[in-house]
């Protein structure tokens, strides 16, 4: 009889712990949805005003400080991989690297880019600047440029 009581108490404790974890997980997820401090984490559609015209990019900032870029410069520029960090209230710096190719697909260099981003008050838009450095295969800087950026957070749309 005593063993049955202990077994029942163990099962009840286990189920109680599972229920508590579920409640905490749900509460944590709900808090994330109404976070008062917006973050750069997420997916963004970005417009860049380059000397050769307006361009479009997709940037995805992960919570671990990494980010990924794809854009309208494919196939002469690979996707970009980089890192980002918070530098002040709603201010971020990011850096990424992408490989450059000529029109035949031959690898010809590396683009190193640095971004300064200021997140808008609602957390769904940003403005910023990108400084680009094109470097040849010997890592010699060939040209540089600076362009303004404007980003809009990609939102889930109604189905």
């Amino acid at each position: 009889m005593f063993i049955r009581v202990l077994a029942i108490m163990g099962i009840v404790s286990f189920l109680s712990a599972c229920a508590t974890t579920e409640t905490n997980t749900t509460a944590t997820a709900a808090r994330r949805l109404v976070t008062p401090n917006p973050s750069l984490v997420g997916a963004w559609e970005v417009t860049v005003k380059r000397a050769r015209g307006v361009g479009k990019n997709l940037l995805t900032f992960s919570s671990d400080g990494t980010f990924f870029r794809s854009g309208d410069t494919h196939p002469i520029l690979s996707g970009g991989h980089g890192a980002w960090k918070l530098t002040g209230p709603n201010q971020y710096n990011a850096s990424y690297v992408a490989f450059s190719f000529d029109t035949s697909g031959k690898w010809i260099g590396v683009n190193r880019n640095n971004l300064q981003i200021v997140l808008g008050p609602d957390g769904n838009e940003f403005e910023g600047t990108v400084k680009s450095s094109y470097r040849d295969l010997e890592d010699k800087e060939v040209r540089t440029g600076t362009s303004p950026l404007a980003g809009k957070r990609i939102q889930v749309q109604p189905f």
Side-chain angles (χ1 to χ4, degrees), residues 4-133:
R4 285 185 186 162
V5 170
L6 283 178
I8 291 172
M9 287 176 49
I11 291 171
V12 168
S13 294
F14 175 76
L15 292 175
S16 174
C18 289
T20 301
T21 302
E22 180 62 30
T23 302
N24 288 342
T25 302
T26 303
T28 301
R31 277 193 300 274
R32 276 190 223 128
L33 292 175
V34 293
T35 247
N37 299 323
S39 169
L40 194 59
V41 171
W44 298 83
E45 186 174 351
V46 178
T47 302
V48 56
K49 295 180 182 175
R50 304 179 187 125
R52 63 184 181 278
V54 174
K56 292 298 260 186
N57 296 288
L58 299 173
L59 304 180
T60 300
F61 295 90
S62 301
S63 61
D64 66 356
T66 59
F67 90 98
F68 305 95
R69 174 225 178 255
S70 60
D72 62 352
T73 51
H74 179 78
I76 60 168
L77 192 67
S78 72
H81 296 253
W84 67 274
K85 67 179 182 177
L86 180 68
T87 57
N90 293 335
Q91 296 179 11
Y92 301 86
N93 284 354
S95 298
Y96 74 89
V97 176
F99 296 131
S100 296
F101 303 91
D102 66 17
T103 54
S104 71
K106 181 181 175 187
W107 180 38
I108 58 171
V110 174
N111 276 56
R112 297 192 180 278
N113 302 277
N114 297 305
L115 290 74
Q116 287 186 324
I117 294 171
V118 177
L119 195 59
D122 71 353
N124 292 318
E125 294 185 5
F126 71 69
E127 291 186 359
T129 303
V130 60
K131 287 174 58 176
S132 299
S133 171

